[in-house]
Amino acid sequence: MENFKFGKILVFSHDNCSCEKQERLELIADQIAMTSNYDIKFVDSMEDFENVVFFDHEVVAVFMEYCKDCKEKFAEVLKKIRTKNKHLPITLFSTTGVNGLSVEQFEDITDTAALYDDTVEFIAGRLVRHAKHYETIIVSPFMKSLVDYAGD
């Protein structure tokens, strides 16, 4: 794979991350690194997440943990993201399920993943696919042709 990296996939997991969960997320990041040209950015606080998602224009996809205990903050952040960017792909993962999400919130997310039930390859592939689709939406046809040409 080329050394040139284009875009970041932002991974948010709460700071009370278990070793098993962190290990699984790192396996997913490794799979993405092996199969694509995306950087992975890990954050473990909502404040850091908001700073990156709102101010780093290289973010092409979000892989975000949903926690029932933080559902009000999650709803607030999701609404802010969709106000600023209606197309950024947001994939939720949870170790406790996504019960408690409203219909509107489900409409605002792109995908969900079962962190331990889905395979690493499956999750990584979905995140990369969502990121590539997002790029086709935001990159003008001329710029896409230029980037494709420079990559050859």
Side-chain angles (χ1 to χ4, degrees), residues 60-79:
V60 294
V62 171
F63 191 45
M64 182 178 187
E65 182 175 16
Y66 173 74
C67 175
K68 291 179 192 174
D69 297 338
C70 306
K71 66 182 180 183
E72 289 82 19
K73 183 65 176 171
F74 170 80
E76 176 188 322
V77 170
L78 184 61
K79 187 173 183 174

Side-chain angles (χ1 to χ4, degrees), residues 15-52:
D15 55 7
N16 60 350
C17 192
S18 70
C19 291
E20 182 183 10
K21 181 172 36 171
Q22 186 62 38
E23 187 176 299
R24 186 77 168 174
L25 292 172
E26 288 174 7
L27 287 171
I28 293 166
D30 290 345
Q31 182 68 27
I32 290 169
M34 288 188 319
T35 60
S36 73
N37 286 335
Y38 294 114
D39 275 330
I40 308 299
K41 171 77 175 169
F42 285 95
V43 293
D44 62 3
S45 75
M46 190 59 81
E47 183 180 338
D48 290 343
F49 173 78
E50 288 185 63
N51 284 333
V52 175

